[in-house]
Amino acid sequence: MPTALITGVTGQDGSYLAELLLEKGYRVVGVVRRTSHDSYERIGHLLERIEIVPADLLDQHSLTTVIGDVKPDEIYNLAAQSFVPTSWSQPVLTGEFTALGVTRLLEAVRLASPGARFYQASSSEMFGKAVQTPQNERTPFYPRSPYGVAKVYGHWITVNYRESYGIHAVSGILFNHESPRRGLEFVTRKISHAVARIKLGLDDELRLGNLDARRDWGYAGDYVKAMWSMLQQPEPADYVVGTGETHTVRAFVERAFRHVGLDWQDHVQIDPALVRPAEVDLLQADAAKAREQLGWEPAVSFDDLVVMMVDADIERQRGSS
């Protein structure tokens, strides 16, 4: 039975990845930070099947100890301060977690388990003000937020440890991937949550920023399969993962409201305060390498993703009322 260690196991991607690995017969160990409350909502149904251990990306010793004790075959670093707007108000903390946290974890691997395979969650936000469209593994990075800058650091330090120490380390440059487990602070879930509440008569208005930003949106449950596939390859390499299709925030809004029989223009208000200081206008994946080398294809369409999220939020609201 192979052992996988997941940082960020309580997040959207961590929960889907844990499910996938359990299906494949792994022993799954999730790393969590000590907090004043448990945030196990997404993995509550898995707690009897996975192990939870405490450690912190800000604390080198805890990471080295956990990796030495667990002796994982595979390590998936999904933990980060991952919300782009927060990176503007907390840029130093974002750097500590999302950039230097990767170095601490790689150091722990080098010291305690250099034979483990390591996955780093890179991000399409590294491309930022993209110099070419679509973006592939050779596209130069031009990050437009403290989050994007921190992710670039995490990406290159992973490459550095791979080339300097021979660690089997890969980076998945994942484009936007959503699900009913997405946090409410992200625009897609903000939309699906608001549409559900408006449909049920609990709210009447949804406030948004830039409706013209275009993103390559896919389903998180599909994307964790690509993560796993990357670590099964004989040689470590980096991969762009995305659908290759782009849609505006406006299109997401239109589809969500249409699904419940409402006109979005009756309910959406534009709030300039929600516009980023430096906007990323267009991100679109060229995932040819992942298709060819990993055999990976997205299974859930944009329309199906929007409907899935809205329906899940309607059920949540009905259950809580």
Side-chain angles (χ1 to χ4, degrees):
M1 178 186 292
T3 297
L5 184 77
I6 305 173
T7 71
V9 71
T10 61
Q12 169 189 256
D13 293 6
S15 65
Y16 282 112
L17 179 62
E19 288 175 346
L20 176 70
L21 295 174
L22 287 170
E23 289 172 9
K24 293 184 178 295
Y26 279 69
R27 170 195 175 207
V28 176
V29 182
V31 175
V32 299
R33 301 180 69 208
R34 285 286 191 207
T35 61
S36 58
H37 65 282
D38 292 335
S39 54
Y40 296 159
E41 176 188 354
R42 297 181 182 93
I43 60 168
H45 62 299
L46 302 176
L47 287 175
E48 293 184 356
R49 302 172 61 199
I50 67 177
E51 301 169 41
I52 298 295
V53 295
D56 196 314
L57 286 182
L58 302 185
D59 181 57
Q60 180 71 65
H61 178 72
S62 68
L63 297 172
T64 306
T65 299
V66 161
I67 289 177
D69 289 346
V70 172
K71 297 179 175 57
D73 300 287
E74 298 172 5
I75 299 164
Y76 296 86
N77 183 35
L78 310 185
Q81 190 303 98
S82 60
F83 186 45
V84 174
T86 297
S87 78
W88 292 104
S89 60
Q90 296 183 301
V92 175
L93 184 67
T94 298
E96 286 286 352
F97 275 115
T98 308
L100 291 177
V102 185
T103 310
R104 295 186 189 101
L105 191 54
L106 283 164
E107 264 298 278
V109 173
R110 184 180 73 84
L111 294 169
S113 187
R117 295 190 169 202
F118 178 87
Y119 172 87
Q120 166 60 14
S122 288
S123 167
S124 60
E125 287 287 331
M126 300 189 306
F127 296 123
K129 189 176 181 180
V131 299
Q132 68 181 55
T133 299
Q135 297 90 44
N136 59 35
E137 295 82 4
R138 297 174 300 280
T139 303
F141 300 137
Y142 194 152
R144 295 271 281 174
S145 66
Y147 170 77
V149 172
K151 279 293 186 183
V152 170
Y153 177 100
H155 179 88
W156 281 117
I157 200 67
T158 301
V159 172
N160 192 262
Y161 270 68
R162 177 170 74 213
E163 295 179 351
S164 301
Y165 300 116
I167 293 172
H168 192 109
V170 309
S171 284
I173 307 173
L174 271 55
F175 281 62
N176 294 64
H177 46 289
E178 318 298 316
S179 77
R181 299 179 191 175
R182 195 53 140 158
L184 281 169
E185 67 272 24
F186 290 87
V187 68
T188 50
R189 180 72 197 294
K190 181 179 180 180
I191 293 166
S192 65
H193 176 75
V195 168
R197 289 185 61 81
I198 291 168
K199 176 62 178 177
L200 296 174
L202 302 171
D203 276 329
D204 188 55
E205 182 182 86
L206 167 60
R207 302 184 75 81
L208 294 170
N210 180 14
L211 297 185
D212 296 319
R214 300 186 72 89
R215 292 293 184 273
D216 184 329
W217 276 303
Y219 171 53
D222 290 339
Y223 285 47
V224 298
K225 296 174 183 176
M227 297 178 189
W228 176 80
S229 294
M230 288 178 211
L231 287 193
Q232 311 317 306
Q233 303 307 303
E235 297 297 328
D238 305 323
Y239 296 87
V240 161
V241 178
T243 69
E245 299 178 6
T246 65
H247 301 272
T248 61
V249 174
R250 181 180 285 102
F252 199 107
V253 170
E254 288 174 348
R255 183 69 186 92
F257 275 97
R258 187 167 75 248
H259 178 56
V260 297
L262 296 174
D263 184 343
W264 70 276
Q265 296 183 79
D266 294 337
H267 301 282
V268 173
Q269 296 293 324
I270 304 303
D271 185 348
L274 297 175
V275 177
R276 296 182 184 182
E279 184 57 88
V280 174
D281 298 314
L282 171 61
L283 292 174
Q284 181 179 6
D286 172 5
K289 181 179 176 182
R291 287 197 304 271
E292 293 163 7
Q293 296 186 15
L294 306 179
W296 180 85
E297 292 280 357
V300 176
S301 70
F302 173 76
D303 273 10
D304 289 345
L305 174 64
V306 177
V307 169
M308 176 199 303
M309 293 180 67
V310 172
D311 285 347
D313 270 319
I314 289 173
E315 286 305 308
R316 271 197 195 93
Q317 291 301 315
R318 283 177 173 157
S320 63
S321 59

